[in-house]
Structures are given as structure tokens and as C-alpha cells.
Amino acid sequence: DHHVNYGSGSGLQDRVAFVQSDPSQYDASIRLANLQESDTGTYQCRVKKNTVAVHEVIVTVQEKPAPPQCWFEGELAEGSSVLLRCFSR
């Protein structure tokens, strides 16, 4: 039907669009911009010609990792050993 059904209260209205301007030309792919964890869910493509074909895709959006915290352990001297550590939540 050349339209996207956003669902109720999804907040997708300004962030989703067809990749091609005319989805009837055999490509009804959509692009989700500025993904958020709340975009996690089941997305459905429904194509109607003479019959209806439906395909569902489950999308899981994970939180962006925090910048890593890095440090070293040991003595910074020629010939000594050091341990480099990094951690990210």
C-alpha cells in the first residue's frame, strides 16, 4: 500500500523511510535512522498483490558501549613488564 505503519507510540515517524522512493518497483526495504534501544521489536513486511505475503524480522538494538577506561599496572622502566588493561561497561 506504499505506506509504513509505525504502531502506536513508537516514535518512529521521523526516523523511518523506504530506501527506494517507489516501493512498488520490487524493493520495499526500509531504513531506520538513529536507532534506540526502544526500537527493539518485531518488524513485519506485508506485500499485497493478488495475495498477501508476510515476513517478520526481529530486531534487537543494544546500548552503545561506554568509552573504555584504560590503565597500566607495573613499572614503566626498560626491561620491566607491564600489564595494559581496558574495561568498558
Side-chain angles (χ1 to χ4, degrees), residues 17 31 57 70 78 81 89:
R31 175 174 287 122
V57 176
C70 299
E78 185 176 340
S81 297
R89 295 187 187 276

Side-chain angles (χ1 to χ4, degrees), residues 16-87:
V16 66
F18 286 110
V19 172
Q20 301 295 322
S21 59
D22 184 2
S24 67
Q25 297 301 309
Y26 307 106
D27 186 356
S29 301
I30 60 171
R31 175 174 287 122
L32 298 172
N34 302 318
L35 286 174
Q36 303 169 9
E37 284 183 84
S38 61
D39 295 334
T40 293
T42 301
Y43 291 78
Q44 184 181 85
C45 178
R46 180 181 301 250
V47 178
K48 295 183 205 176
K49 287 283 186 182
N50 297 330
T51 60
V52 176
V54 177
H55 183 75
E56 290 186 347
V57 176
I58 298 172
V59 174
T60 303
V61 181
Q62 297 180 337
E63 182 178 352
K64 180 180 175 182
Q69 299 170 350
C70 299
W71 67 96
F72 69 91
E73 295 175 1
E75 183 181 349
L76 291 177
E78 185 176 340
S80 65
S81 297
V82 295
L83 180 62
L84 304 175
R85 294 191 177 263
C86 284
F87 174 79

